[in-house]
């Protein structure tokens, strides 16, 4: 059952009911392939990451999210901050949840290069974890709030 719906650049997206939500997501790459998770909340593929908690930096959130979602510990100095994504209004990045809350999202993106594929544990938030090549990405559905980030990565990689 879909418990979240994501929008980007959609004038028909619901109006946010909450303040802007800051998130950290990772471009995790190994042998030229990008790691994505199949999300339980929407059954589409997305980047590893999540919300930044109060009193937490974007980098601290990224380290925490990788541990929670993959079961691996990565030291903070391995992450490289790439850029932030976040447009204003309804045409920005919107997440609408089953409880009626609607968030506008601002995403800070980090890069993490891995020398070899780690042994990962699928969290309760995910259905699957998989590395995808540029060609394989064309055949899957990516969450609307991450699709342009993934596209940017492969265009600039």
């Amino acid at each position: 059952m879909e418990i979240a719906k994501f929008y980007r650049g959609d004038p028909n997206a619901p109006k946010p009911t909450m303040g802007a939500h800051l998130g950290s997501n990772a471009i995790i790459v190994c042998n030229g392939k990008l790691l994505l998770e199949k999300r339980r909340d929407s059954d589409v593929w997305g980047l590893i990451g999540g919300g930044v908690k109060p009193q937490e930096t974007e980098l601290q959130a990224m380290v925490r999210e990788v541990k929670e979602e993959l079961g691996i510990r990565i030291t903070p100095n391995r992450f490289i901050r790439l850029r932030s994504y976040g447009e204003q209004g309804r045409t920005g990045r919107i997440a609408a949840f089953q409880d009626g809350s609607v968030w506008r999202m601002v995403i800070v993106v980090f890069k993490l290069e891995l020398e070899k594929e780690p042994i990962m544990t699928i969290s309760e938030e995910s259905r699957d974890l998989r590395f995808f090549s540029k060609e394989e990405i064309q055949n899957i559905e990516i969450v609307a709030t991450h699709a342009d980030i993934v596209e940017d990565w492969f265009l600039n990689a």
Side-chain angles (χ1 to χ4, degrees), residues 9-147:
D10 186 344
N12 297 314
K15 183 179 180 183
T17 60
M18 312 295 283
H21 181 72
L22 181 61
S24 285
N25 288 95
I27 296 286
I28 300 175
V29 182
C30 183
N31 298 321
K33 292 186 172 187
L34 175 65
L35 178 64
L36 297 176
E37 67 169 337
K38 182 110 184 216
R39 301 173 60 105
R40 283 194 189 275
D41 62 7
S42 57
D43 209 32
V44 295
W45 293 92
L47 297 169
I48 302 302
V52 177
K53 294 180 178 181
Q55 308 302 319
E56 188 177 53
T57 68
E58 295 95 347
L59 180 56
Q60 289 168 332
M62 193 71 268
V63 170
R64 175 182 51 77
E65 288 288 346
V66 165
K67 173 66 174 120
E68 290 174 2
E69 294 184 16
L70 305 178
I72 60 175
R73 292 186 192 278
I74 303 290
T75 58
N77 64 330
R78 299 263 324 266
F79 291 93
I80 299 168
R81 185 182 178 133
L82 296 178
R83 66 174 276 202
S84 298
Y85 290 79
E87 303 81 6
Q88 295 291 325
R90 268 192 233 186
T91 59
R93 294 166 199 279
I94 304 292
F97 296 94
Q98 195 175 39
D99 67 3
S101 62
V102 180
W103 301 80
R104 183 177 69 81
M105 299 167 31
V106 175
I107 300 171
V108 177
V109 178
F110 292 88
K111 175 185 167 190
L112 172 64
E113 288 243 14
L114 300 173
E115 297 78 35
K116 64 178 186 168
E117 284 192 29
I119 297 172
M120 300 176 287
T121 304
I122 297 173
S123 76
E124 292 180 6
E125 295 177 22
S126 306
R127 293 187 188 282
D128 197 5
L129 297 167
R130 195 168 135 208
F131 284 90
F132 290 92
S133 68
K134 182 177 183 175
E135 295 73 31
E136 292 168 324
I137 289 280
Q138 308 307 314
N139 300 316
I140 63 170
E141 183 181 1
I142 298 175
V143 67
T145 51
H146 295 171

Side-chain angles (χ1 to χ4, degrees), residues 34 134 137 142 146-157:
L34 175 65
K134 182 177 183 175
I137 289 280
I142 298 175
H146 295 171
D148 64 318
I149 299 169
V150 169
E151 184 178 320
D152 285 353
W153 169 253
F154 279 116
L155 284 175
N156 297 311

